[in-house]
Every structure is written in structure tokens, then in C-alpha cells.
Amino acid sequence: MKFFLDTAERDEIQRMTELGFVDGVTTNPSLLKKAGAPYQQVLQEICALVSGPVSAEVVAEDHAGMIAEGRELAAIAENVVIKVPMGSEGLRAVRGLREHGIDCNVTLVFSTNQAILAAKAGARFVSPFIGRLDDVAQEGMQLIEEIVQIYENYEFESELIVASVRHPMHVVDAGLLGADIVTMPTRVLEAMFQHPLTDIGKEKFLAAWRDVPKA
Ligand code: G3P
């Protein structure tokens, strides 16, 4: 089970990388806007911090524009993966970018059919947005369950990235279903370390240690 950080905040990425929990990073235009520096510089800095794949998203709306933008982004660093929006133009761009040896992450996936098409187009990664489905009262994890099963049935090589993760239970559920990767905001990864009984237990042991006879 791999963990990607869904952020463009370099300080957060550095902190979590030092802890050894960052297998990759995903960004999108909203996250790059928050980062508040030229996107090329931000991506370069992220790619220098992380050896795994770093997704950078194209914003062109036709396949030719996506391919051109994707090639520019891929030139930033060796580990850049191009995030392409789901759709006929996006999937055409996936095939085109593959011809240039560039890997893609198909984003904004909200149905099992879309995930099947993305795999057939040769996407290295496919990103269903489960939190946004939960937001509209559709069971995001149901989608993950179906995709995991179908990718197994046909031995599709695409790796599933569970995206739009909002809380640590999403990580647990993704693990139970056997999803390859979870991309999460830093606060979700940080929350995974925490349990109130751990804090209480530590305090009790420290208090006891104060009264342990010492030579
Ligand atoms: O990786 C996709 C993610 O950035 C979208 O998350 O919270 O905006 O639905 P959210």
C-alpha cells in the first residue's frame, strides 16, 4: 500500500518525507494556486524532495494542447507524471503522451466505466475521487471496490490511486479493498499517527518511570 501526499506545500512534503512515508505526490491547479509561487519552481522543488512519481496537471481542453503541455511539464523532472482529466480528449492525450514515453494519471474519475476506459487507454495511474462522491451522497468506496475487482479480473496494469481522501477511515477502507495507492492531504497522514490511548499510555509510563528506583 503506497502513500502519496496530495499537496504542493514543500515544507509538509519535506517533513513527511523525512519520516519515510511519502511514496509520491499529487498536485492539481487548486493546490498549486495555494502554493503561491511559479508552478514550474514549485514542481521542481517537489521533484527534488521526492523520488517517487509527482503528478502535475494539464489545463488544455483538447488532446493536442494536453500533449504539448504534458511534454513541457514532463521536462521539469524525470519523476513528473502528467495528470490528465477524464474524457475522450484526455484519454486520447494519454495515448499520445505514452508514445513520447510519458506516464499519465487520469484524474476526475467518478464512475467504474471511466476507470475501465482509463486503464484500456494505458494510464499508469487512475484516480477516482471518493470524497467528492461521498459529498453528494454516493458511496465513494463502492466505486473503489468495483474498480479493484475489474482491474484484477483483466490484469489491467494501471495502478489505482484513491483520491479526494478526507479522513483516516478512507485510508483503512482503501486498504481493506486492496487499492494500490492512497493520496491524502498531510493532515490525514498526521491523524493516522494519533490515538488518545497512546497519549494516555505514554503519560502513565512516564509518571511511573519517575518513581522507579534508580541507582
Ligand atoms: O487528488 C485529488 C484531490 O486533490 C481532490 O480532493 O478534497 O478537492 O476533493 P478534494
Side-chain angles (χ1 to χ4, degrees):
M1 187 180 196
K2 291 181 197 159
F3 286 173
F4 287 4
L5 273 191
D6 194 30
T7 183
E9 302 304 320
R10 282 82 77 216
D11 56 336
E12 294 179 7
I13 295 168
Q14 177 158 16
R15 192 154 35 87
M16 289 299 151
T17 302
E18 283 167 4
L19 289 176
F21 288 103
V22 183
D23 299 305
V25 169
T26 50
T27 69
N28 61 35
S30 310
L31 296 170
L32 287 171
K33 181 181 162 187
K34 265 193 232 160
Y39 73 89
Q40 298 95 331
Q41 178 197 327
V42 174
L43 289 169
Q44 243 165 20
E45 289 174 9
I46 295 172
C47 289
L49 290 169
V50 178
S51 55
V54 174
S55 291
E57 190 158 344
V58 293
V59 290
E61 294 185 55
D62 64 297
H63 71 276
M66 290 178 195
I67 293 170
E69 258 181 53
R71 293 183 72 185
E72 275 175 30
L73 289 167
I76 291 176
E78 272 190 0
N79 49 339
V80 168
V81 166
I82 305 306
K83 226 178 180 188
V84 170
M86 178 63 208
S88 55
E89 287 301 304
L91 295 189
R92 203 168 159 187
V94 170
R95 293 190 196 276
L97 286 163
R98 276 195 75 186
E99 284 168 17
H100 293 286
I102 297 170
D103 286 333
C104 290
N105 171 4
V106 174
T107 188
L108 291 168
V109 168
F110 291 95
S111 78
T112 309
N113 282 319
Q114 290 178 327
I116 294 170
L117 290 172
K120 283 179 72 65
R124 177 172 170 197
F125 300 108
V126 178
S127 295
F129 277 28
I130 54 156
R132 291 192 195 182
L133 281 171
D134 290 352
D135 288 345
V136 295
Q138 281 185 38
E139 186 58 66
M141 279 299 160
Q142 172 75 35
L143 179 59
I144 300 302
E145 189 173 1
E146 290 179 8
I147 299 169
V148 166
Q149 180 67 63
I150 291 170
Y151 280 15
E152 265 176 32
N153 290 349
Y154 293 95
E155 296 180 355
F156 282 130
E157 285 174 9
S158 304
E159 287 182 77
L160 193 56
I161 303 182
V162 177
S164 184
V165 160
R166 302 280 163 77
H167 51 70
M169 277 313 293
H170 277 151
V171 183
V172 173
D173 291 338
L176 287 170
L177 293 172
D180 303 294
I181 301 159
V182 179
T183 191
M184 62 190 105
T186 308
R187 65 176 168 75
V188 173
L189 182 52
E190 280 171 339
M192 290 175 67
F193 287 87
Q194 304 300 325
H195 196 289
L197 289 178
T198 304
D199 298 336
I200 292 167
K202 274 188 203 166
E203 270 172 37
K204 278 189 180 168
F205 284 148
L206 285 177
W209 185 249
R210 282 193 283 275
D211 298 332
V212 170
K214 291 149 190 118

